Amino acid sequence: MPNSRPRPRRGTGRGSGAAGRHELVSRSLQSAEHCLGAQDFGTAYAHYLLVLSLAPELRDEVKETFQYTLFRWAEELDAVNRIQDLLGCYEQALELFPDDEVICNSMGEHLFRLGFRDEAAGYFHKAVKLNPDFSDAKENFYRVANWLVERWHFIMLNDTKRNMIYNAAIQKAVCLGSESVLDIGAGTGILSMFAKKAGAHPVYACELSRTMYELACDVLAANKMEAGIKLLHMKSLDIEIPKHIPERVSLVVTETVDAGLFGEGIVESLIHAWEHLLLPPKTKGENGNCEKYGKVIPAGAVIFGMAVECAEIRRHHRVCIKDIAGVCLPTNVKFQSPAYSSVDTEETIEPYTTEKMSQVPGGFLALTECFEIMTIDFNNLQELKSLSTKKPDKIDIPVTKEGILDAIVVWFVLQLDDEHSLSTSPSEETCWEQAVYPVHDLADYCVKPGGHVMMEVSCQDCYLRIQNINVLGSEQEMDVGTSFTKNKDLISSRSEAELCSALANLQTSKPGVVEQMCLLESTEIALLNNIPYHEGFKMAMRKVLSSLTPEKLCQAVDTHCQNNVMSRGSGPTSEQSVHEPFYVLDVSEGFSILPIIAGTLGQVKPYSSVEKDQHRITLDLISEANHFPRETLEFWLRHVEDESAVLQRPKSDKLWSIIILDVIEPSGLIQQEIMEKAAISRCLLQSGGKIFPQYVLVFGLLAESQTLVEENAVQGTERTLGLNIAPFINQFQVPICVFLDLSSLPCTPLSKPVELLRLDLMTPYLNTSNREVKVHVCKSGQLTAIPFWYHVHLDDEIILDTSSKASHWKQAAVVLDNPIQVEMGEELILNVQHHKSNVSITVKQ
């Protein structure tokens, strides 16, 4: 409709239009400021949007006020769960301020809280690129970089042997005629580039992670292969012909395998590939050009296992003590780690954990010979399909050494073709870790030569599962616990004498006793096994409560005198004492029995901040078993509106005697916002009350460690066979490696430990945010890293060392961008900075 557009009225011109716009902008600004004063942040935000759309020249002038309005409005939207509106506001704000690192960082924080870690990390990374000195964004980015680009990418790309073998197998396949290639789970695109360099055409690659997809795009362009490799941002399961690729390919290359082989979905993706994306396989005896047939690299795998004794695995997956600082753990409470796999329930988590067994602290003892668990042919569609439907295989392995059965360790040999293979065995120099299946639910974990370890192996949900692990003694008696009922078919095949023996030893629960299964993270189980930790807290709490008692008694006496109810020659009555408990708040992360330990120390009202219902039920059962009245232990999050309000008075007229804070993460980093929490906590303490820990000392040393260097960054182009990948993936390296164990880390100390920093939670004026520390070099070498750990001072005398053998905490290390040659006898100056929860350590040149 050519004449539908309204025409300006006579007498109006550009000048009057500008004046009207100016007046509207002025009124909107006034309205925005009025709404801000009234704390109507939603309306204020709408007014600022109008102002900025009409007058973009005011951006710099209103930027800070707009940011404040956005953040407060976002908090309100978050509180009422209006997530779409919240994200929409940030998208609008970033359209107006696309290069604002503060808004990017805040957007990332909201996305991270909502569980969108990949997207959150992208915004943190953008904020750091916009302003490399923006500490908040750097700290956020470092903490989530593992989700953005997982650390195994660096280790794997640095594994020259792995790269060479994959390259040789791909080159051989292409030379034999498999020229059309699809790379499933491309990552950086290295396998696609191997295929392209070998002469493959066409080459397709798919990658689901947006970050890795964008990274691969940059890598392909840098290696001048973007035109020869079509990169798809999608799962292979969603690829359709001819929509995404024109026709079926003759070769699929992939390394979508984890330590347990099947955990990254290789079976599902290859079934789909054979049915929809690959040419049919060559049958036996058939000759002809390989281009007419489909094949997969890797061609198959053989899975191996071994039963082991390992104290480190045991303390992270089995609660080994029955009494913790005077608190008895009842028999009706069963603790399990996430790696526990029950046949009675449908598990959706990985039924194993992973360890680099060659570096596990304390080492391990092989209790059996290595045994074959399973073989799989990735070029056989029917075998792939039957994997998830066939019944579990029963395996019976002779015990060769006496010891404690702690786990079944699993690895595999990946057969790329009939000539090339890769082993992930603990005895190999490899980038791979091994899968670990901790053993649970045995009446007796001791094994001896002549005995047998029995298990069932299945892959019914495309995870390799090892279940129903049992021990048969040399006297042919079944070692039973809960495992007896799970193996009726196995027991029925044994002799009648064995069955009678099993029945005689079968432990049954007492009638009426409630059995509670409590699932804990492996670090939480290690914490329960940490005796010095709990004994230390008990001693420290007793000292504080003892110091407060005279004051409290004195107050009670005064009150009694005033009310004329004081008995002659006696102290405060028991009735009055009941109304004057000490209030103890534990805001530790995760499962903690410290409130129950506090409750054993006398007239204490302990509060726990555990969130999960099963944890609360478990703590209630432990309380009952230790003869605590049910009302003794309170669950604090039931009394506060939200988790952020956990630090407040126990009652309007009461203050806390003790507040327990978690200062150190299990990973070895300082907890986020811990100093802010400490500042609030100090205001909530009664006179003489304490925060635990009272202060923390950070210790570190100079070290040379090639392992840390290779875990932190890809080392040039030589490792990747001349392909230019390092500069792109190394954008996502972080200066701190976490979850380290210094007792087994391959490294050479170049100095003695030195105190780097003090974090005082009770006396903040003792803290410094910037400190220079002199370190004496006692051994010449290449300085590549500065490992650090903590002495957690509950008071001046009671210290918990996070680097000790019993510690549930791991250690961390700053890894230098460039190694520094140091000579024995010289002194280095370290600059140590503390910003919020982030500690940075640099060498002053």
Side-chain angles (χ1 to χ4, degrees):
M1 297 175 64
N3 297 318
S4 61
R5 200 170 169 184
R7 298 185 183 186
R9 288 177 297 172
R10 188 175 298 175
T12 60
R14 292 179 66 182
S16 58
R21 182 176 68 87
H22 179 75
E23 184 178 350
L24 181 57
V25 167
S26 178
R27 286 182 180 178
S28 293
L29 273 175
Q30 290 176 356
S31 298
E33 291 166 4
H34 175 76
C35 290
L36 274 183
Q39 295 196 332
D40 181 0
F41 299 110
T43 308
Y45 175 76
H47 281 298
Y48 277 122
L49 280 184
L50 180 60
V51 168
L52 289 166
S53 63
L54 291 174
E57 66 274 9
L58 296 178
R59 283 178 29 153
D60 293 340
E61 186 178 326
V62 301
K63 178 179 175 179
E64 286 189 15
T65 315
F66 174 76
Q67 285 177 349
Y68 172 77
T69 308
L70 168 67
F71 300 156
R72 294 300 302 270
W73 178 225
E75 287 175 7
E76 291 187 10
L77 292 173
D78 195 15
V80 295
N81 208 33
R82 288 173 57 185
I83 303 305
Q84 288 298 327
D85 292 335
L86 183 155
L87 297 179
C89 287
Y90 271 97
E91 287 170 359
Q92 290 171 328
L94 286 170
E95 286 179 10
L96 294 166
F97 296 94
D99 297 329
D100 190 298
E101 70 274 19
V102 178
I103 296 176
C104 278
N105 182 61
S106 183
M107 173 70 151
E109 290 175 338
H110 281 289
L111 287 168
F112 185 78
R113 280 195 293 270
L114 293 169
F116 300 106
R117 289 168 171 170
D118 194 60
E119 293 83 355
Y123 279 101
F124 295 147
H125 185 236
K126 182 178 179 182
V128 173
K129 286 176 73 175
L130 289 167
N131 182 359
D133 297 323
F134 185 18
S135 297
D136 287 357
K138 279 200 294 188
E139 181 177 346
N140 284 329
F141 175 66
Y142 294 156
R143 286 175 182 267
V144 301
N146 290 338
W147 288 291
L148 196 64
V149 176
E150 292 178 282
R151 301 299 95 183
W152 54 259
H153 282 287
F154 297 99
I155 304 168
M156 196 165 275
L157 287 167
N158 278 321
D159 189 340
T160 309
K161 179 181 175 182
R162 167 254 183 194
N163 296 337
M164 290 177 67
I165 293 174
Y166 250 101
N167 183 44
I170 291 170
Q171 195 170 48
K172 177 181 174 182
V174 173
C175 289
L176 290 175
S178 299
E179 294 183 354
S180 54
V181 178
L182 170 64
D183 179 3
I184 293 178
T188 58
I190 188 170
L191 300 187
S192 308
M193 292 189 287
F194 286 163
K196 191 64 190 172
K197 285 184 72 175
H201 179 78
V203 179
Y204 309 100
C206 61
E207 173 55 51
L208 180 60
S209 161
R210 170 159 288 281
T211 300
M212 292 307 301
Y213 166 77
E214 292 173 353
L215 176 59
C217 288
D218 292 340
V219 169
L220 295 183
N223 288 276
K224 297 183 170 49
M225 295 191 198
E226 71 272 31
I229 300 173
K230 182 178 180 181
L231 191 57
L232 304 168
H233 178 220
M234 62 197 311
K235 290 192 296 186
S236 67
L237 300 177
D238 296 329
I239 296 176
E240 298 177 19
I241 293 174
K243 184 176 180 181
H244 302 110
I245 62 177
E247 57 189 3
R248 289 178 178 251
V249 298
S250 57
L251 177 63
V252 159
V253 296
T254 187
E255 201 178 31
T256 49
V257 290
D258 69 340
L261 187 63
F262 302 127
E264 289 191 18
I266 189 170
V267 173
E268 185 184 14
S269 62
L270 289 184
I271 288 173
H272 176 267
W274 277 115
E275 290 182 335
H276 302 285
L277 307 174
L278 268 165
L279 292 167
K282 183 187 288 188
T283 57
K284 285 186 179 180
E286 197 167 1
N287 294 315
N289 191 341
C290 289
E291 183 64 26
K292 298 177 181 178
Y293 305 101
K295 67 182 292 186
V296 173
I297 294 178
V302 185
I303 306 174
F304 297 94
M306 180 169 60
V308 301
E309 173 184 311
C310 180
E312 182 71 4
I313 292 172
R314 185 189 316 141
R315 77 184 187 98
H316 278 86
H317 296 278
R318 205 158 71 226
V319 177
C320 304
I321 51 180
K322 299 300 180 186
D323 185 285
I324 303 176
V327 173
C328 173
L329 298 182
T331 56
N332 62 322
V333 171
K334 305 291 184 185
F335 295 103
Q336 301 287 3
S337 72
Y340 173 66
S341 176
S342 172
V343 292
D344 301 327
T345 57
E346 289 188 10
E347 300 284 345
T348 56
I349 58 175
E350 289 182 353
Y352 48 84
T353 183
T354 64
E355 292 283 353
K356 188 80 168 173
M357 294 302 295
S358 61
Q359 296 176 16
V360 71
F364 67 93
L365 173 68
L367 302 175
T368 67
E369 298 291 346
C370 157
F371 57 89
E372 186 175 311
I373 293 176
M374 180 187 297
T375 61
I376 181 71
D377 184 353
F378 292 138
N379 284 304
N380 188 323
L381 176 59
Q382 295 309 312
E383 188 173 324
L384 290 168
K385 283 185 170 182
S386 68
L387 196 62
S388 61
T389 57
K390 71 176 184 177
K391 291 183 178 180
D393 291 328
K394 293 181 176 62
I395 299 179
D396 188 329
I397 306 300
V399 175
T400 57
K401 288 187 180 176
E402 183 176 351
I404 299 170
L405 178 58
D406 292 315
I408 307 297
V409 173
V410 169
W411 66 93
F412 54 86
V413 173
L414 204 60
Q415 301 284 354
L416 301 189
D417 55 25
D418 56 4
E419 182 184 352
H420 302 94
S421 64
L422 285 169
S423 172
T424 67
S425 163
S427 61
E428 294 282 337
E429 285 292 328
T430 173
C431 60
W432 290 87
E433 293 184 330
Q434 291 75 48
V436 174
Y437 294 77
V439 177
H440 296 90
D441 286 346
L442 295 184
D444 186 1
Y445 293 90
C446 294
V447 297
K448 295 180 180 180
H452 290 256
V453 177
M454 297 167 297
M455 65 199 78
E456 290 185 354
V457 176
S458 66
C459 192
Q460 294 176 344
D461 56 358
C462 289
Y463 276 119
L464 179 69
R465 292 191 177 273
I466 299 178
Q467 298 167 317
N468 296 341
I469 301 170
N470 294 296
V471 174
L472 193 67
S474 56
E475 294 83 12
Q476 299 298 300
E477 290 183 356
M478 180 67 71
D479 185 3
V480 296
T482 57
S483 55
F484 170 74
T485 55
K486 294 178 183 177
N487 275 307
K488 291 176 182 175
D489 56 336
L490 185 62
I491 292 171
S492 64
S493 66
R494 302 284 177 181
S495 67
E496 187 176 344
E498 287 177 77
L499 181 59
C500 291
S501 175
L503 287 170
N505 287 287
L506 182 61
Q507 299 173 354
T508 54
S509 300
K510 295 178 181 179
V513 175
V514 177
E515 187 168 284
Q516 171 66 18
M517 184 70 75
C518 184
L519 190 70
L520 298 180
E521 295 298 324
S522 60
T523 51
E524 292 173 314
I525 291 178
L527 171 57
L528 282 179
N529 285 320
N530 188 343
I531 294 173
Y533 176 91
H534 294 99
E535 292 286 358
F537 266 98
K538 185 175 183 177
M539 290 168 56
M541 288 191 289
R542 180 184 282 129
K543 286 167 70 174
V544 170
L545 296 176
S546 297
S547 71
L548 294 173
T549 301
E551 176 188 341
K552 184 155 286 192
L553 285 175
C554 186
Q555 291 173 352
V557 170
D558 291 344
T559 306
H560 263 128
C561 290
Q562 291 169 9
N563 293 326
N564 296 317
V565 292
M566 190 73 174
S567 299
R568 183 178 295 179
S570 68
T573 65
S574 60
E575 181 183 352
Q576 187 175 28
S577 296
V578 168
H579 295 294
E580 291 293 333
F582 297 107
Y583 291 93
V584 175
L585 174 63
D586 178 16
V587 287
S588 301
E589 298 286 328
F591 186 81
S592 170
I593 66 163
L594 291 179
I596 299 178
I597 292 174
T600 67
L601 299 176
Q603 198 173 310
V604 172
K605 182 69 174 174
Y607 287 77
S608 167
S609 63
V610 297
E611 299 178 58
K612 297 178 181 177
D613 287 338
Q614 62 166 304
H615 290 180
R616 292 174 179 173
I617 294 168
T618 300
L619 289 175
D620 274 337
L621 289 173
I622 295 173
S623 296
E624 289 175 15
N626 287 272
H627 311 294
F628 280 28
R630 181 173 282 274
E631 64 275 7
T632 301
L633 179 63
E634 292 279 358
F635 295 108
W636 190 223
L637 289 181
R638 289 177 178 169
H639 299 267
V640 297
E641 292 182 5
D642 60 75
E643 191 182 343
S644 62
V646 70
L647 288 172
Q648 59 184 53
R649 290 170 175 259
K651 294 182 179 179
S652 59
D653 61 337
K654 301 293 179 185
L655 292 167
W656 301 103
S657 301
I658 295 172
I659 297 177
I660 300 168
L661 298 177
D662 238 347
V663 178
I664 312 300
E665 294 180 2
S667 66
L669 295 178
I670 297 171
Q671 290 276 5
Q672 288 186 298
E673 300 177 352
I674 188 60
M675 301 312 289
E676 292 83 349
K677 289 179 182 177
I680 297 170
S681 298
R682 289 192 295 273
C683 301
L684 300 172
L685 291 174
Q686 71 172 93
S687 177
K690 299 291 182 184
I691 298 170
F692 286 144
Q694 293 182 35
Y695 61 95
V696 173
L697 300 180
V698 185
F699 283 85
L701 55 76
L702 309 180
E704 179 176 347
S705 175
Q706 188 61 26
T707 298
L708 287 179
V709 169
E710 294 187 3
E711 287 181 3
N712 194 56
V714 176
Q715 303 300 303
T717 59
E718 187 178 340
R719 301 292 185 95
T720 52
L721 311 190
L723 294 171
N724 188 15
I725 299 175
F728 304 95
I729 194 166
N730 287 351
Q731 292 179 60
F732 299 94
Q733 72 182 96
V734 296
I736 295 180
C737 286
V738 295
F739 283 111
L740 304 176
D741 198 304
L742 297 183
S743 67
S744 61
L745 177 73
C747 78
T748 303
L750 304 178
S751 75
K752 292 181 178 179
V754 294
E755 182 184 321
L756 299 176
L757 192 69
R758 178 186 175 111
L759 299 176
D760 202 305
L761 281 70
M762 283 296 296
T763 318
Y765 69 81
L766 295 175
N767 293 326
T768 54
S769 59
N770 197 321
R771 187 176 179 220
E772 289 190 348
V773 180
K774 288 183 179 179
V775 186
H776 183 77
V777 177
C778 60
K779 184 179 176 65
S780 300
Q782 287 260 319
L783 172 60
T784 60
I786 304 166
F788 60 91
W789 62 96
Y790 311 90
H791 285 181
V792 180
H793 283 254
L794 302 184
D795 59 27
D796 286 332
E797 298 170 342
I798 302 172
I799 305 167
L800 303 174
D801 184 350
T802 67
S803 68
S804 72
K805 185 178 179 181
S807 173
H808 64 284
W809 291 291
K810 295 296 185 183
Q811 295 87 56
V814 171
V815 182
L816 276 59
D817 286 337
N818 299 299
I820 300 173
Q821 182 66 38
V822 295
E823 301 298 331
M824 184 174 68
E826 70 175 302
E827 275 192 340
L828 259 64
I829 297 177
L830 301 182
N831 184 261
V832 185
Q833 292 185 328
H834 175 239
H835 174 75
K836 291 189 175 179
S837 304
N838 187 43
V839 174
S840 67
I841 306 169
T842 55
V843 179
K844 189 173 182 181
Q845 298 290 332

